[in-house]
Each structure stands twice: as structure tokens, then as C-alpha cells.
Amino acid sequence: MRTGREQFGGRGAAILAMAGSAIGLGNIWRFPYMVGQTGGAAFIVIYLVSCLLLSMPIFLAEAIIGHRTHASTFGAMEKLAPGTKWKWLGLLTVLSPLVILSYYSVVGGWSIGYLWQSVTVGFHNGEIGTVSSAYGKFIASPWRPLLCHTLFLGACAGIVSAGVKSGIERFNKITMPLLFLLIVLIMTYSISLPGSRAGVDYLVKPDFSKITPSAVAAAMGQSFFSLSLGVGTILTYASYIKKQENILVTGMGTIGFDLLFAMIAGFAIMPAVFAAGIEPGAGPGLIFETLPYIFAKMGAGVPVISAIVAVLFFLTIVFAAVTSAISMYEVGVAYLVEQRGLSRRRATLLVFAGTWTLGALCSLSFGPLSEVKLFGLTIFSFCDMLTSNFLMTFGGLLFVLFVGWKMDKAAVRDEFTHGGTARFNCAVFDAFWFLLRYVAPVAIVIIFITNFVG
Ligand code: TRP
């Protein structure tokens, strides 16, 4: 191991950083929408169960590899299984977060664009059609989204190049509490709107008839996505956690925060959507179509408050996106620094150059490059589909197989029980071991097939 490798200050810092990675667009839009469409409270129950039985073991598998080796993805595989084909898993999980980062930065850029608009001119055009076409025009116009993508990625580069402790840790320590404060404020506003009751019902009324096998697969997929699993980010962050820290506690803390944020976001978004009398839809694009319309409509009542809420809302999205993006960025930087001997500054620049270029292509695929198709998809959709449907699940599967079937069981037990000091009996470890070896791989294959068919 290289001497002087950076570490997070303590347990709180590690949990905040991991929660920063996990909490993102997945919590703010995807979760509330899925809850509503897939059975309300009944979906939440399935979601909780899949967090515990599926995502928790995968999360811990990644965290155990990182914490055990104190190395980033590629180096960790070289340490635990030297000279084997597992190094390809190390390499795959360097590349997939960088592909995600490229198109994530485009969406992050849009949120900067909307933040700018909410600060400067606001959203006055009240009709849904006008708001929608403004969104369509914005993403298709080549220059503004490119500039926003550059700003977003540049901000991430600045944070990552400052280092694990003074960059990533410090940024998360400031923004994560702020993020919770902001979303609670928005929730309070949202619930106070006349007509918001239907939105609350939408989230809490269980409808067991909607619980189909595909809803269960969707819940598993969402918990997987929301915890940023399968691409080595959790592994890399865990490699910065001090040896004496308890990895199980860190994992539980992260999952708890991610869940809490998703729930609050649900109550922040859906009541407003219903109060405005619109049908809840799907996809990250709708944040930029539906919500500005809501802000415009609410503005008819008390314009100042709705303008402030709009600013707070887009600020929340920008922060949530940056804290996730820097975790992907760090995977590439850690590889270049630890395996290729680059300085952190150079590594940051190199990752910037690569992801900026791919991101620019993704951004232009909404405008001038919209005719360029890969397997019938635009460049942006292709990168999204490739990573969300295949690389993440594939990486997750290989991680659980590695820890469950290849890694030394004594080492896994040692990590799980915190060197044998944890105060629970061995049945807990045995349950984890069973979930890891049998349940998680089968569940991931189910998600994989569902993605493939869907
Ligand atoms: N978890 C993030 C969210 O909820 C999205 C995400 C998926 C992610 N995979 C990732 C973030 C990998 C960082 C790294 O929006």
C-alpha cells in the first residue's frame, strides 16, 4: 500500500460521504414516482425489504473489499486475487462510473441552468406547454447546456483535486446537512399547499393489487440504483475509512440516510404535483418540465415565496448531483493516482478531459447529434442504458460472487464482525453469508433479466 494514503476523518465523515454518493436524482424524483405508480405504502414495504435483504449485502460486499485492502477498485482486486481474471472487474469498475459521470454531468448541468433561471428571471410562463417547450429548446440548443456541463464538471474537478479530506469530506460535511434542511423546507411548503392531500395519500395508501413480480423487481432495482451499487464507488469510499471503524455501522448509517431522504423527497414532491392538479409522470426530464410549471402556477398566489422555493429546489438538485458526481469522479482519480502513479492534479485533469468529451457528445445528442444512433439510441440514452441496465448490475453481481465465493471467509467475517468485537452472535453473520452467496446473486440476475426484457 502506498504510504500516506488519505482517509476520512471519522465515522460521521464516512457516512456523510457515502450518503452523498447515494442521495441524488434517484431519491428526488425516481423514488417518489415509483412509490406512487407501484402501490404506495405497499411498495415502500417491499423497498425496505429489498434494502435489507439485497442492497445491504451488496453494499457490504463492496465496502468489505475496499476496507480490507485500503485500495481502489483495480488495486483491491490485485491484492485479494493477484494475477487472476478478477482484475477485469477492477478495470470495469473504473470505467463504468466514468461513463455514468459523463451523462450525469449533463443533467447536473441542466440543474445549474435551471438554478440560474430561477435566480434571474424565474418561471413566469404558466402553461405546461410553454414550460415543456422551453425545456426542449434549452436542452437542444447546443451552447448553453454545454456551458452548464462544463461548469458542473469543473466544480466536481475542483472538489476532487483538493483531496479526499479537504475536498470530498469537507464538501459533503457542509452540503449534506444543508441538503436535508432544504428538502425539509420544501416538504413543509409542499404539504401546506391547498389540495396537497391527494399527493400524501398517493404515497401512503397501500394498494396491494399493484404488487406484481415486475413491481418487486422494480423495487429491487431502485434500491440498487439509489445506493450507487455495482460500479466501485462504495468500494473506493470504503477504502478511505479507517481500519478501526466499523463497516457494518457505516453501511447501516448510509442506508438509513438514503432511505430517509427518499421518503422526505416523496413528501416534498408529490403533494405539490397533486396540488397543481397534474398527473405524476416519470424520468429525470420531468423535474425540469413539471416542477417549473408548479412554481409558475403557485406563483399566482404568493409570487415571492414560490420564487424562493424554486431557487431552493434547484439548489437542492445541484448539491445532490454534485455529491454523487464527485464519488464517481474519485474512482477514476484513485485509479490513476494509485495504479498509474499520476499526481492527483494530473489525474483530475485527465478524468476531466475524458468525461467532458463523452459528456459533450451526450449533451449534443439532444440537438445537433440527435441523428447519431447506437443500437437505435441517442448517445445520451445509450450511455444511460448501458450503465443503468447492464454495467451496474453486472458489476454488482461480480462483487457479491467475489466476496461470497472467492474471498477468504475468515477475512469477510473479520470485517463484518469488526475483528470479532461486534456484540451479536454468529447467526447474524451466517444470515449475511447466506444472503451474499445465494439470495443476492439470484436477485441481481432477476433485475438483470427484467431490465433486458423491459
Ligand atoms: N445513487 C444515485 C442517485 O440516487 C445515482 C447513482 C447510481 C450513482 N449509480 C451511481 C451515484 C454510482 C454515484 C455512483 O441518484
Side-chain angles (χ1 to χ4, degrees), residues 20-28 97 100 103-104 222 224-234 258 320 323-328 331 388 392:
S21 169
I23 294 171
L25 293 180
N27 304 56
I28 299 179
I100 305 182
Y103 73 84
Y104 205 87
Q222 170 64 15
F224 194 99
F225 181 86
S226 188
L227 286 168
S228 314
L229 300 175
V231 293
T233 44
I234 297 303
D258 186 57
T323 53
S324 294
I326 55 178
S327 73
M328 309 178 212
V331 179
S388 312
M392 288 179 69

Side-chain angles (χ1 to χ4, degrees), residues 15 28 67 92 144 163 168-169 194 220 235 243 287 300 416 436 448:
I15 294 180
I28 299 179
H67 195 232
L92 172 80
R144 274 199 303 156
I168 296 176
E169 175 174 326
M220 296 195 297
L235 191 161
K243 201 82 234 161
I287 291 185
F416 186 87
L436 191 69
F448 195 81

Side-chain angles (χ1 to χ4, degrees), residues 119-169:
V119 172
T120 51
V121 285
F123 301 97
H124 299 304
N125 298 329
E127 289 318 309
I128 187 82
T130 339
V131 176
S132 255
S133 75
Y135 167 70
K137 268 197 212 129
F138 169 65
I139 64 171
S141 67
W143 297 112
R144 274 199 303 156
L146 266 186
L147 175 68
C148 293
H149 159 60
T150 312
L151 281 177
F152 183 88
L153 203 59
C156 295
I159 297 164
V160 171
S161 80
V164 173
K165 221 168 151 39
S166 22
I168 296 176
E169 175 174 326

Side-chain angles (χ1 to χ4, degrees), residues 72-155:
S72 65
T73 52
F74 189 79
M77 289 298 146
E78 282 293 280
K79 270 189 182 176
L80 292 173
T84 64
K85 292 212 167 54
W86 287 103
K87 70 164 179 276
W88 294 107
L89 172 59
L91 214 54
L92 172 80
T93 47
V94 171
L95 291 178
S96 35
L98 297 183
V99 177
I100 305 182
L101 176 61
S102 305
Y103 73 84
Y104 205 87
S105 167
V106 173
V107 182
W110 296 346
S111 40
I112 292 187
Y114 270 75
L115 175 61
W116 178 246
Q117 188 183 341
S118 58
V119 172
T120 51
V121 285
F123 301 97
H124 299 304
N125 298 329
E127 289 318 309
I128 187 82
T130 339
V131 176
S132 255
S133 75
Y135 167 70
K137 268 197 212 129
F138 169 65
I139 64 171
S141 67
W143 297 112
R144 274 199 303 156
L146 266 186
L147 175 68
C148 293
H149 159 60
T150 312
L151 281 177
F152 183 88
L153 203 59

Side-chain angles (χ1 to χ4, degrees), residues 381-405:
S381 308
F382 177 77
C383 290
D384 181 17
M385 187 275 295
L386 178 73
T387 48
S388 312
N389 290 3
F390 297 103
L391 297 182
M392 288 179 69
T393 32
F394 189 53
L397 178 64
L398 294 179
F399 278 131
V400 286
L401 290 178
F402 182 81
V403 177
W405 296 89

Side-chain angles (χ1 to χ4, degrees), residues 1-11 13-14 17 66-67 69-71 163-170 173 236-245 330 338 344:
M1 191 174 68
R2 294 169 74 253
T3 48
R5 198 171 186 274
E6 280 197 274
Q7 291 188 318
F8 288 131
R11 179 184 299 166
H67 195 232
T69 56
H70 280 140
V164 173
K165 221 168 151 39
S166 22
I168 296 176
E169 175 174 326
R170 198 150 63 146
K173 265 191 176 161
T236 305
Y237 270 8
S239 78
Y240 298 131
I241 297 178
K242 288 180 180 152
K243 201 82 234 161
Q244 67 267 27
E245 289 297 339
E330 178 60 24
E338 287 169 24
R344 186 164 258 276

